[in-house]
Amino acid sequence: MALRYEVELSYEVRNGPADFIFNVQAARTPRQWVGWESLATTQFVPLQEFVDPPSAARFLRLQAYPGELVLRYAAKVQLQHHRQHPADVQEIRVADLPGTVLPFLYPSRYCESDKLNAFAMAQFGSLWQGHARVQAICDWVQRHVAFASGSSSGTTSAVDTFQERRGVCRDFAHLMIALCRAVNIPARFTTGLDYGADPALGPTDFHAYVEAYLGGRWYMFDPSGTAIPMGFVRLASGRDAADTAYASIFGDVVPGRRMLAIHAEAGPDGVVREPYRTTDAISSSDI
């Protein structure tokens, strides 16, 4: 499966210099290959790239000066998902988890799993352990939280969403992660683009989804139900949104327009394969 996506971000730097850290480049993993990519900015400034080994996230740092700054990035990405029958995907005991997975069991800034422990154990604690239990958590969040653009802020947490029962993809993801961790299932926050989302929800945008560690790998879940997981191009993953912002800005800056686009293209064999919804357990990351 091959996907092409484009990102254009515009900012007005009012007083400079201002520092930016972007996370919009496609991650390179054993299951996601970047065939080609291009990156340009309207200001001629040095670009510094750093890769976070545990998550494969690519951080781009630059310093901009007063005036307009536009960042444009495009890439063609090939994805080869691991697919498994859900009944064959089991949970792993805490005692047997790899050390790198352990941080995703703990409460974090936006995923207060400790505060939701009693509810999660009562609602999901007795369910058969495995992919089906995680899917039950995902389904519960999707049924009980309403998608409402502009209903939350950058400080809205899982507990806030649990109480208010509305939010955007970021909030759905935080709540599902907190509920998973509350029943001892490692879960992390992952970012991509909302491939297949209903245009009525707005133009193409960045998307937050969930990965749960089951059966020795990270499996994908989309608790908002607004997009097609098979079409998610991986950008970054972390404990919650605090680790995965597409842009972090340090300075007097006014955000401007934002344009994103994604579509399927022909793969190396010349065949266009459109992402589609599936009941299989799917994973796009071995790390």
Side-chain angles (χ1 to χ4, degrees):
M1 181 178 297
L3 299 172
R4 175 188 171 115
Y5 86 97
E6 301 174 33
V7 176
E8 182 177 305
L9 304 174
S10 175
Y11 302 91
E12 184 68 28
V13 180
R14 296 197 293 194
N15 293 297
D19 295 296
F20 293 78
I21 301 175
F22 293 105
N23 200 326
V24 299
Q25 297 165 277
R28 294 187 175 99
T29 75
R31 293 194 172 273
Q32 178 171 288
W33 312 300
V34 181
W36 64 262
E37 62 184 348
S38 64
L39 174 68
T41 62
T42 54
Q43 292 195 21
F44 186 70
V45 294
L47 306 178
Q48 298 175 302
E49 183 177 327
F50 305 91
V51 178
D52 176 49
S55 68
R58 298 165 65 189
F59 296 93
L60 180 74
R61 183 173 65 186
L62 63 88
Q63 188 174 79
Y65 296 91
E68 184 182 45
L69 170 71
V70 180
L71 180 143
R72 297 185 180 92
Y73 175 76
K76 183 173 181 178
V77 176
Q78 294 179 45
L79 285 165
Q80 185 177 38
H81 297 93
H82 171 84
R83 302 178 64 161
Q84 195 83 16
H85 191 283
D88 297 331
V89 180
Q90 302 302 312
E91 293 178 30
I92 297 178
R93 298 185 310 161
V94 172
D96 297 327
L97 289 170
T100 55
V101 174
L102 298 181
F104 300 101
L105 284 170
Y106 306 148
S108 61
R109 176 179 176 183
Y110 295 115
C111 301
E112 314 102 305
S113 51
D114 50 343
K115 295 181 180 179
L116 294 172
N117 178 262
F119 171 82
M121 291 303 296
Q123 188 77 25
F124 309 109
S126 62
L127 297 183
W128 186 263
Q129 296 187 9
H131 188 278
R133 180 158 74 150
V134 182
Q135 188 63 56
I137 296 172
C138 182
D139 293 343
W140 187 94
V141 173
Q142 189 172 335
R143 287 196 308 269
H144 290 84
V145 180
F147 190 94
S149 298
S151 61
S152 61
S153 71
T155 60
T156 300
S157 72
V159 169
D160 297 329
T161 302
F162 180 76
Q163 294 171 340
E164 296 169 11
R165 301 299 173 95
R166 60 179 182 171
V168 295
C169 61
R170 174 186 188 272
D171 308 306
F172 283 75
H174 282 155
L175 179 54
M176 180 180 169
I177 290 167
L179 293 173
C180 285
R181 293 177 186 171
V183 292
N184 304 324
I185 300 170
R188 67 186 185 185
F189 186 96
T190 307
T191 56
L193 272 69
D194 58 357
Y195 185 97
D198 187 342
L201 297 175
T204 302
D205 205 348
F206 294 107
H207 189 65
Y209 59 101
V210 175
E211 291 181 308
Y213 193 79
L214 302 163
R217 66 176 64 245
W218 293 98
Y219 285 92
M220 306 161 67
F221 297 85
D222 184 26
S224 71
T226 56
I228 301 175
M230 198 180 287
F232 294 161
V233 171
R234 171 180 302 277
L235 302 181
S237 61
R239 295 166 300 170
D240 55 34
D243 294 337
T244 58
Y246 71 85
S248 299
I249 304 168
F250 307 87
D252 187 0
V253 176
V254 178
R257 67 186 181 279
R258 183 172 65 190
M259 186 282 291
L260 299 94
I262 185 167
H263 63 270
E265 288 196 345
D269 58 0
V271 177
V272 177
R273 295 176 176 84
E274 294 279 354
Y276 58 90
R277 297 186 185 276
T278 177
T279 57
D280 287 349
I282 63 171
S283 171
S284 67
S285 177
D286 296 332
I287 59 174

